[in-house]
Amino acid sequence: MSCQLIAYTILLAAALLDFGLGDPWGWPHPVRWMGGYIQFVSNRFNHGQGWPIWAQRLGGAVLALSLITGSALISWGMVALGMAMSPLLGWGIAVVGTASGFAGRSLRDAAMEVLAPLRAGNLEAARQSLAKYVGRETAQLEAPEILRAVLETVSENTTDGMMAPLFYGAIATLFMPQLTPLPLVMAYKAASTLDSMIGYREPPYTHWGWFAAKTDDVLTWLPCRLLVFLVALCSGQWQRVWQWCCRDAPKDPSPNSGWSECAYAAAFGVRLGGTNTYRGTIKVKPFLGEPLHPIDQSIIMSALRLSCRLYLITLMSTGGLVLLWSKVLSI
């Protein structure tokens, strides 16, 4: 079996493991270790406070690069050590590690955790569940705003937690199969974790997290555009996705989340964005899309199914390319 086919079996098994098992609560997870490292270094140097701006940015860059490259190298080393002991053990390490970089099951479970009490009319429980997964304040949100937050979370995290890790796993499978998908998946996961923890414009992260935010923006740019293309393809709303994304997505300060949210808004004919409150500060995000339909639970479920289809199309397309490549080499 070629290196590419072995790497693809790892990617496929990891995707199936993620959808079947997800991230069991309390189990060790690479993101927790990454977060611990980010927090330790940031606190140790007080986020570079008191340093010149260039030194803060340099310190944050060293933190980001050390975590991203370290995550890739440690992942590669673990697989290599496992392979030296037993090819099956190395394969298993790569599968479990790669699965931990995907968040398909976790995203669905998070959405259902919020929707279940909302369906039962328990608004307070829905608010409390939502607060686990979003940065905005949820204590005063009514049902329509809760549903908007869930749909925004689904659309954004389909890119960050599903499509982007799968994209880099596919890149490794096609072009660096001897490494297995794990190192690139972990490298992207490190960049995403850095952005979620320190990639803010507010002090003390303004300069300390600048490099982390820019790195995540760059790494997510192409997977995000792939998502927009596939949303247009799968939803049958080619024209609307194109028009709304070109019109509204550039208004969002993020070069990626606005596009993914706008693509989902166009697919279902809804409007996302608006007023949110973060730690007592009111922020008004640009409107994305148009309210042709109200956001209800059926739209959330349809969005989750759409995310799954995008994921499967990307996974199967990678498999097709691997088989095609194998055929070409055998000629």
Side-chain angles (χ1 to χ4, degrees), residues 101-123:
F102 300 148
R105 177 64 179 268
S106 298
L107 179 58
R108 181 180 181 85
D109 288 349
M112 297 306 297
E113 184 182 339
V114 179
L115 294 183
L118 199 59
R119 191 178 298 119
N122 190 340
L123 197 60

Side-chain angles (χ1 to χ4, degrees), residues 60-71:
V62 171
L63 166 61
L65 290 173
S66 66
L67 181 62
I68 293 170
T69 57
S71 297

Side-chain angles (χ1 to χ4, degrees), residues 173-293:
T173 297
L174 293 170
F175 301 107
M176 295 174 282
Q178 67 279 5
L179 296 179
T180 78
L182 180 58
L184 286 193
V185 170
M186 285 295 103
Y188 176 78
K189 205 69 180 178
S192 180
T193 304
L194 282 157
D195 181 60
S196 67
M197 291 187 66
I198 63 174
Y200 300 104
R201 297 183 179 184
E202 297 81 10
Y205 310 104
T206 309
H207 303 295
W208 183 255
W210 176 85
F211 185 87
K214 294 298 181 183
T215 300
D216 182 73
D217 287 345
V218 170
L219 293 178
T220 307
W221 193 93
L222 195 54
C224 179
R225 272 61 188 176
L226 173 63
L227 175 137
V228 172
F229 170 77
L230 291 177
V231 167
L233 178 69
C234 294
S235 67
Q237 298 291 342
W238 269 100
Q239 186 175 10
R240 195 162 72 191
V241 170
W242 173 255
Q243 289 179 343
W244 288 15
C245 282
C246 289
R247 182 193 67 192
D248 295 340
K251 300 175 186 175
D252 194 282
S254 168
N256 297 310
S257 63
W259 284 86
S260 57
E261 290 181 19
C262 196
Y264 273 71
F268 299 106
V270 299
R271 187 172 70 181
L272 300 177
T275 302
N276 301 323
T277 303
Y278 299 90
R279 297 185 292 275
T281 302
I282 296 176
K283 293 186 177 180
V284 181
K285 294 188 66 177
F287 286 123
L288 306 172
E290 299 174 14
L292 305 181
H293 308 288

